[in-house]
Amino acid sequence: MNWINFPYIAIPSIVLLVISSLVVIVPINKKLRTIIANTSSVLAILLFVYFIISLWINLDRPPLRTLGETRLWYAFFLPIIGIITFNRWKFFWFLGYSNLMAIVFIIINLTHPETYSKTLMPALQSYWFVPHVVVYILSYAVFGVSWIVSIVGLVNFKNKDNKKLLQIADNIVFIGFAFLTLGLLFGALWAKEAWGHYWTWDPKETWALLTFLVYLIYIHLRSFHKGKVRIHFWVLSISFVFLLAAWFGVNYMPSAKNSVHTYSQQE
Amino acid sequence: MTKKKLFQHPWKYKEGILISISLVIIGLVLGLLTKKPISSPAFPTNLSLIVTYTLLLFAVYKFEYKRHIVQWLSGIPAAISSTVLFAFLAALLGFIPQVSTGMLMNDSLLYNLGLTHLTTSWLFAFGYIFFVTTLGFATVKNFMPIKKKRIGVLLSHIGLYIIILAGIAGDGDIKRTYFILPNNGEPTDIVKDFNSETRYNTPFKLKLNKFDIKEYNPKIVLVDAKTGNIIKQNNSRNFSAKNNAVADFKEWKLKVVDFLYSSAPADSFYASFNETDTLGSLPSAFVEIYDKNNKLINKDWITCGNFVWFRKNIYANKNYYFAMLSPEPKEYSSDVTAYLPEGKKESFTLKVNSPKTIMGWKLYQTGYDDTKGRWSNYSVIEAGRDPWLPVVFTGIFLLIGGAFYLFWLGGKSLEEEEEKESELN
């Protein structure tokens, strides 16, 4: 298989991923729904396994070099993580989100086959690129949801259900924190390969650590002081501000002028 | 019930905050008094410190658990206080630009307080010790006894404990140095430290056989002639030069008629370019500019310029011109030979993201003379040594294990019956 054959893989897998994401709104019983979601996701993933392997054989090298190939791996990993998380935690929205992201990457590959939308500098050309970015995409998405939950909790504070709401938030935060930790650690392992050291207190690293620490504080607060619901909603919503600072804010801070992470400032 | 007085047992958050503030003040004052960055101890001091400290934590926890201070330090209020302090230090690091220790010489207040080199300041050291202590006690607590249900918690704590202890210990032993290898130079064992510029000798010699660089086609941009700023437009921001490429910029259309990847001016007026591969040759393009009505308004050769040739732009009108940017590197690599003791040799290629280990030194392709781009006559190779790396990586893998467990657990330990409610559809 080659990129020319990609539509034969891409279109069926888009259809399968759409089915897997939308089956939730069809009024059928829960068991059947789960079976359909699982089957279609697994089929889509298998199509990608087949395409990646045959492309690999065809190219005679791992398809990890170009941006298009990178997107292929996103489209492969996102549904896997989506379906695992779904089976474990029954989050339909998460399955839908990861499938949607995968579909976006597939469509970009269909419409812009192998073109460079941006030049990829050598430090980014690594097999760590995909796992590092994929887990961060997911963790940020999950924390985004937890932030919405915290705002809902703060706005409807009088509501009796907010303890339940906080439990949902905990569940989401744990998952997001697991991905965040993986992202941070994959980043460290990658940095060792690319820049010679796993930790250099680069501003982006510092802010990623700070995000890690504030969610760590939330988790510890929640584990041991269950009663103080309002404070917890506040901590959770403020944590997200740190996340946003780490994500977008760093490039604008005085400390960023020496950052190796500000790829956009080349000119 | 009377209200608990400050520092009356059991301690809680107020005490944690007070201890944190005291540590900050002591750290700042010590910084002001000494006015010098501190450095992490090297081998074997760091190893014995770590081992002693860890054993001490175990012993104190085991035999002195009844003491309130031990209970407090291994409890949540202390854990949260120390994490808040550590996060505060990280925030300082995140806001204040840091200077590498080799370049420290100014006498500003920020410098004297240790805030421009925070990771080597007393302030950081105190915050760090507080954090490591509470983390250490929490780890020990999970060890005595080990409970199957809390194995993920144990993995996370011990992983983080190992990472940050070994990380700091490694800081004392780490060597980050670089070779500057000239084209066709003699084998050399002289390296310089990245920070202090101190010279060292490696136990092997290194020689550059060939430095190779591949570049992306250069971008062409529209520039405001008054300010010199690049006009950013969504559809043409990443317009790369290649034959017959067309793009819209503001009210103009730019067409690349002829693109030469490696060329030189054919005459001293830069009126035309020839394809060549001689020293200093560079990309050039013959472009045409059309206005809104598709009328040709200007055409000429443009080039990005380099250390041999001048830059040449083309004007769209008196306020705007098109310019070619210097090409960005796509991939660069060095073919090198390492000369080991006893006459052994080993040749290999170093590339960004694919280092190579020789006699415990990890070698990286780091840079080249970027003013000369592909005509660089030297290659910069980083040579790094970090004997603590395996320890740090052990910690990293333990923490990764903990993260997977956390994902699987999803906060289930907090509330048992939450699975039913977790459908957020």
Side-chain angles (χ1 to χ4, degrees):
Chain A
M1 280 246 165
N2 209 333
W3 280 109
I4 297 168
N5 316 107
F6 185 61
Y8 301 116
I9 297 292
I11 291 162
S13 44
I14 290 177
V15 173
L16 286 167
L17 290 176
V18 169
I19 293 174
S20 145
S21 318
L22 290 186
V23 71
V24 58
I25 49 173
V26 183
I28 44 171
N29 82 42
K30 253 187 168 175
K31 223 175 185 176
L32 189 63
R33 207 194 259 174
T34 312
I35 292 171
I36 296 177
N38 269 305
T39 320
S40 38
S41 275
V42 169
L43 282 176
I45 293 162
L46 286 178
L47 280 174
F48 266 86
V49 172
Y50 172 67
F51 184 71
I52 290 175
I53 291 177
S54 51
L55 187 66
W56 193 325
I57 293 168
N58 202 340
L59 294 171
D60 217 14
R61 62 169 173 83
L64 270 168
R65 201 173 289 170
T66 68
L67 270 184
E69 289 163 4
T70 309
R71 287 193 287 260
L72 195 60
W73 290 94
Y74 290 144
F76 169 65
F77 277 120
L78 283 161
I80 292 181
I81 297 174
I83 200 69
I84 291 176
T85 312
F86 165 67
N87 281 307
R88 176 65 182 141
W89 294 112
K90 305 287 172 251
F91 291 157
F92 261 112
W93 60 269
F94 190 86
L95 181 66
Y97 172 80
S98 6
N99 286 345
L100 181 72
M101 294 290 286
I103 290 171
V104 168
F105 287 120
I106 298 172
I107 290 177
I108 297 175
N109 265 5
L110 276 175
T111 52
H112 297 84
E114 282 310 280
T115 52
Y116 288 96
S117 58
K118 192 180 174 197
T119 48
L120 196 58
M121 60 190 283
L124 290 181
Q125 298 165 12
S126 159
Y127 51 82
W128 284 110
F129 190 72
V130 170
H132 178 68
V133 176
V134 164
V135 291
Y136 264 121
I137 290 179
L138 292 172
S139 116
Y140 284 11
V142 173
F143 281 135
V145 175
S146 80
W147 181 73
I148 294 168
V149 172
S150 71
I151 295 299
V152 170
L154 282 173
V155 172
N156 301 328
F157 191 69
K158 295 269 154 63
N159 196 328
K160 276 183 200 147
D161 277 343
N162 57 36
K163 270 202 168 165
K164 269 187 192 167
L165 200 61
L166 208 50
Q167 282 163 24
I168 296 172
D170 286 345
N171 202 181
I172 300 170
V173 167
F174 267 70
I175 295 168
F177 191 72
F179 286 132
L180 188 79
T181 309
L182 288 179
L184 196 64
L185 296 177
F186 288 172
L189 295 173
W190 181 5
K192 181 69 200 169
E193 290 301 295
W195 297 314
H197 199 31
Y198 50 86
W199 196 264
T200 50
W201 293 106
D202 179 84
K204 191 85 176 182
E205 289 172 356
T206 305
W207 279 93
L209 176 71
L210 197 50
T211 313
F212 174 85
L213 290 173
V214 291
Y215 279 105
L216 197 63
I217 292 169
Y218 172 80
I219 286 175
H220 283 81
L221 271 177
R222 280 297 295 155
S223 310
F224 298 88
H225 305 280
K226 296 210 181 72
K228 305 193 168 161
V229 176
R230 186 168 209 145
I231 295 178
H232 296 165
F233 277 132
W234 272 111
V235 172
L236 187 56
S237 56
I238 292 169
S239 300
F240 194 65
V241 177
F242 284 89
L243 186 151
L244 291 179
W247 191 3
F248 305 111
V250 175
N251 294 4
Y252 304 101
M253 288 179 198
S255 54
K257 61 178 187 215
N258 301 321
S259 175
V260 289
H261 270 93
T262 44
Y263 302 114
S264 51
Q265 293 178 350
Q266 284 175 39
E267 270 115 344
Chain B
M1 209 175 101
T2 49
K3 220 178 158 217
K4 181 176 89 68
K5 278 186 194 150
L6 211 56
F7 288 102
Q8 184 186 341
H9 293 294
W11 292 7
K12 283 275 166 65
Y13 288 94
K14 274 186 191 147
E15 288 82 359
I17 295 168
L18 273 174
I19 289 174
S20 301
I21 292 175
S22 326
L23 288 176
V24 170
I25 292 172
I26 300 172
L28 289 175
V29 169
L30 262 178
L32 271 179
L33 292 178
T34 55
K35 293 191 176 182
K36 248 197 314 202
I38 53 173
S39 53
S40 312
F43 188 81
T45 319
N46 50 9
L47 179 66
S48 49
L49 271 176
I50 286 180
V51 172
T52 316
Y53 196 71
T54 308
L55 290 177
L56 200 69
L57 288 179
F58 264 99
V60 167
Y61 190 83
K62 177 106 182 118
F63 301 114
E64 301 287 335
Y65 185 68
K66 290 220 171 80
R67 284 184 195 276
H68 293 297
I69 177 99
V70 180
Q71 285 181 16
W72 183 75
L73 278 173
S74 52
I76 288 294
I80 291 181
S81 308
S82 66
T83 312
V84 169
L85 177 59
F86 200 53
F88 169 72
L89 296 176
L92 287 182
L93 268 170
F95 279 117
I96 304 169
Q98 301 290 303
V99 191
S100 78
T101 41
M103 300 192 241
L104 290 175
M105 43 196 131
N106 62 355
D107 203 33
S108 68
L109 182 67
L110 276 185
Y111 168 79
N112 285 334
L113 289 170
L115 298 178
T116 54
H117 49 98
L118 199 71
T119 55
T120 51
S121 71
W122 284 106
L123 174 59
F124 192 81
F126 282 118
Y128 174 84
I129 290 169
F130 188 27
F131 187 70
V132 166
T133 306
T134 59
L135 176 61
F137 273 125
T139 311
V140 171
K141 200 177 180 178
N142 280 303
F143 256 115
M144 296 199 233
I146 297 179
K147 288 188 199 130
K148 210 176 158 193
K149 252 178 116 178
R150 291 181 64 81
I151 203 88
V153 179
L154 175 63
L155 279 179
S156 314
H157 282 86
I158 194 170
L160 191 58
Y161 182 73
I162 290 175
I163 292 171
I164 62 174
L165 264 194
I168 291 285
D171 210 43
D173 288 328
I174 196 169
K175 287 251 183 320
R176 296 193 67 194
T177 63
Y178 62 93
F179 284 100
I180 291 186
L181 300 177
N183 273 334
N184 303 315
E186 290 296 304
T188 175
D189 59 358
I190 299 169
V191 288
K192 274 186 179 174
D193 189 279
F194 267 112
N195 278 328
S196 60
E197 296 287 319
T198 319
R199 279 169 58 145
Y200 295 100
N201 294 80
T202 48
F204 56 90
K205 290 189 172 190
L206 206 60
K207 175 184 183 301
L208 177 67
N209 304 319
K210 188 173 183 287
F211 175 70
D212 191 38
I213 180 166
K214 291 189 184 75
E215 293 173 323
Y216 287 105
N217 283 1
K219 290 172 185 167
I220 298 178
V221 292
L222 182 65
V223 182
D224 183 326
K226 253 186 228 147
T227 60
N229 290 339
I230 294 172
I231 309 293
K232 292 208 167 175
Q233 262 176 299
N234 282 337
N235 53 350
S236 49
R237 192 164 61 188
N238 291 312
F239 180 65
S240 294
K242 63 180 177 199
N243 279 337
N244 299 318
V246 180
D248 292 315
F249 291 85
K250 259 177 132 59
E251 66 231 56
W252 301 286
K253 181 175 284 191
L254 182 85
K255 186 178 179 200
V256 178
V257 180
D258 195 7
F259 172 69
L260 304 175
Y261 176 75
S262 179
S263 62
D267 56 78
S268 52
F269 301 104
Y270 291 46
S272 70
F273 281 72
N274 292 330
E275 210 153 8
T276 168
D277 213 21
T278 49
L279 178 75
S281 60
L282 77 178
S284 64
F286 185 75
V287 298
E288 294 174 344
I289 304 172
Y290 296 88
D291 67 5
K292 257 184 284 184
N293 308 318
N294 236 349
K295 203 180 118 211
L296 181 68
I297 52 173
N298 204 351
K299 56 178 182 174
D300 203 353
W301 283 92
I302 59 172
T303 183
C304 53
N306 64 7
F307 63 104
V308 174
W309 306 106
F310 290 111
R311 147 183 299 285
K312 190 183 181 199
N313 306 320
I314 180 170
Y315 274 81
N317 62 22
K318 65 181 189 332
N319 295 322
Y320 292 97
Y321 61 84
F322 285 95
M324 181 184 275
L325 300 176
S326 298
E328 291 166 36
K330 186 179 192 175
E331 194 178 291
Y332 46 100
S333 59
S334 299
D335 266 332
V336 293
T337 304
Y339 296 82
L340 311 175
E342 297 165 17
K344 278 188 227 156
K345 278 202 294 193
E346 198 176 336
S347 294
F348 46 90
T349 304
L350 294 171
K351 251 187 349 191
V352 179
N353 268 316
S354 61
K356 164 98 184 166
T357 306
I358 294 287
M359 299 181 74
W361 290 77
K362 212 160 180 175
L363 302 176
Y364 301 84
Q365 173 71 59
T366 302
Y368 54 91
D369 182 353
D370 44 14
T371 59
K372 293 192 177 171
R374 70 189 176 101
W375 299 108
S376 169
N377 38 30
Y378 63 82
S379 172
V380 184
I381 304 293
E382 171 168 351
R385 233 178 100 77
D386 184 1
W388 289 85
L389 193 65
V391 185
V392 174
F393 276 18
T394 307
I396 287 183
F397 287 114
L398 288 173
L399 190 50
I400 286 178
F404 275 112
Y405 187 87
L406 202 63
F407 168 79
W408 200 246
L409 193 78
K412 228 179 168 185
S413 62
L414 304 182
E415 304 287 341
E416 285 304 328
E417 79 282 61
E418 74 182 14
E419 190 151 15
K420 278 182 230 142
E421 286 116 25
S422 59
E423 269 194 63
L424 194 76
N425 293 301

